[in-house]
């Protein structure tokens, strides 16, 4: 039994290494099960025993990607500022990441769409939302914040899916999303204006680019692979319009 567990663990490691690399290099939807088992050098049956669906692999990646996002946002927002500023930074980084790399856009959209991954996001974010906006809803429970998160996560997915262009630049996208989300969480209008001004004062594209490269480095180290330079670069044509 010990040897079987070791074999299973090694097979899982090989599959995850190949999947994460392929998702980032060519996209989630373009990665097939046949390609995964061929490149990982494992039997198709072994793959299906560990991961009955490709979505289960995406869940592992989602947990890694979302694990430290609020921590990064808090390190950027001044600790003396109200918590809503960290929320604004965190969501602004997510939206900007999807403009920098098309495969990341697809991963985020799928994560916000599929049942298991979206449920992880709802649950992971609910506790943060209660901590950030709890004073605005003194009688609300975590269940209430969970329900509100379903709505704002839907907004997030929709804005991620709509690519920026000359008619809808990144600054406008961030402003639209944050205004809508802050209204849901009863942030006073005057405070909303200050938060938006703070986000506009940041070089959010430079910040998101740094976060993206750190994410790639973390994934490369965790799953033991190396991305091509093309996969790490900006993949969006007309990037000057964002």
């Amino acid at each position: 039994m010990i040897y079987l567990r070791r074999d299973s663990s090694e097979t899982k490691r090989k599959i995850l290494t190949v999947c994460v690399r392929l998702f980032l290099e060519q996209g989630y939807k373009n990665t097939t099960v046949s390609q995964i088992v061929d490149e990982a050098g494992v039997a198709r049956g072994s793959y299906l025993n560990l991961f009955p669906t490709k979505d289960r692999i995406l869940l592992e990646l989602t947990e890694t990607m979302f694990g430290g996002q609020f921590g990064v946002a808090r390190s950027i927002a001044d600790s003396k500022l109200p918590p809503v500023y960290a929320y604004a930074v965190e969501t602004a980084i997510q939206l900007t990441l999807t403009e920098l790399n098309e495969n990341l856009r697809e991963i985020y959209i799928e994560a916000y769409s599929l049942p298991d991954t979206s449920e992880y996001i709802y649950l992971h974010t609910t506790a943060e939302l209660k901590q950030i906006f709890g004073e605005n809803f003194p009688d609300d429970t975590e269940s209430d914040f969970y329900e509100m998160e379903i709505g704002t996560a839907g907004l997030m997915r929709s804005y991620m899916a709509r690519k920026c262009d000359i008619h809808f630049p990144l600054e406008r996208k961030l402003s639209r999303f944050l205004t809508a989300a802050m209204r849901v969480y009863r942030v006073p209008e005057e405070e909303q204006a200050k938060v938006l001004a703070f986000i506009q004062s940041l070089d959010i594209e430079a910040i998101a680019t740094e976060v993206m490269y750190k994410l790639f480095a973390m994934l490369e180290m965790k799953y033991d692979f190396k991305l091509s330079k093309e996969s790490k670069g900006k993949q969006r044509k007309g990037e000057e319009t964002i």
Side-chain angles (χ1 to χ4, degrees):
M1 291 297 293
I2 293 175
Y3 290 109
L4 285 175
R5 282 198 292 270
R6 284 179 179 171
D7 289 346
S8 177
S9 176
E10 178 64 15
T11 300
K12 183 177 181 179
R13 185 195 65 78
K14 288 180 178 179
I15 291 169
L16 287 172
T17 295
V18 167
C19 285
V20 174
R21 176 177 59 80
L22 291 176
F23 290 173
L24 292 172
E25 287 185 343
Q26 65 184 35
Y28 176 78
K29 292 181 179 178
N30 286 334
T31 301
T32 65
V33 173
S34 296
Q35 187 178 18
I36 293 168
V37 297
D38 286 347
E39 295 210 19
V42 301
R44 192 180 187 92
S46 299
Y47 165 84
L48 292 174
N49 283 334
L50 289 167
F51 298 103
T53 67
K54 197 169 63 170
D55 303 350
R56 293 283 291 276
I57 301 172
L58 184 62
L59 177 60
E60 296 242 2
L61 179 55
T62 301
E63 291 174 355
T64 300
M65 290 172 61
F66 278 77
Q69 286 191 164
F70 275 100
V72 171
R74 289 191 181 97
S75 70
I76 296 169
D78 191 327
S79 60
K80 296 177 182 178
L81 293 171
V84 64
Y85 285 78
Y87 171 81
V89 171
E90 193 271 341
T91 50
I93 288 173
Q94 277 195 61
L95 287 167
T96 306
L97 280 173
T98 60
E99 296 299 325
L100 297 177
N101 185 294
E102 288 302 314
N103 290 332
L104 275 181
R105 185 197 301 277
E106 185 182 49
I107 289 170
Y108 270 101
I109 291 172
E110 292 296 319
Y112 274 98
S113 303
L114 298 170
D116 289 344
T117 48
S118 60
E119 181 68 7
Y120 171 82
I121 294 171
Y122 301 155
L123 293 173
H124 175 75
T125 309
T126 292
E128 297 285 354
L129 294 175
K130 193 172 190 305
Q131 181 180 344
I132 292 169
F133 300 111
E135 290 185 0
N136 298 342
F137 302 86
D139 299 322
D140 282 14
T141 65
E142 285 203 4
S143 294
D144 295 310
F145 281 95
Y146 172 87
E147 292 165 3
M148 287 187 282
E149 161 60 7
I150 293 173
T152 51
L155 284 174
M156 173 71 84
R157 185 200 178 284
S158 296
Y159 277 106
M160 284 178 169
R162 172 58 165 85
K163 298 179 183 181
C164 289
D165 55 30
I166 193 170
H167 304 292
F168 190 50
L170 180 62
E171 182 179 329
R172 187 170 180 82
K173 176 184 279 193
L174 298 181
S175 176
R176 286 293 190 187
F177 171 79
L178 287 171
T179 298
M182 286 190 290
R183 285 174 178 166
V184 169
Y185 295 113
R186 297 179 184 171
V187 177
E189 295 286 333
E190 184 178 340
E191 188 70 14
Q192 289 181 35
K194 293 178 181 178
V195 172
L196 292 177
F198 175 77
I199 294 298
Q200 290 168 6
S201 73
L202 301 174
D203 188 344
I204 198 68
E205 188 176 349
I207 292 170
T209 299
E210 183 179 355
V211 169
M212 180 176 70
Y213 285 122
K214 286 181 178 178
L215 172 64
F216 289 155
M218 177 184 68
L219 293 172
E220 286 177 328
M221 182 176 294
K222 179 174 181 177
Y223 295 107
D224 191 23
F225 68 88
K226 202 71 178 174
L227 282 173
S228 64
K229 290 183 179 180
E230 292 78 11
S231 299
K232 292 182 178 182
K234 293 184 180 180
Q235 298 181 5
R236 183 178 183 276
K237 294 181 180 179
E239 63 190 56
E240 69 278 3
T241 63
I242 72 170

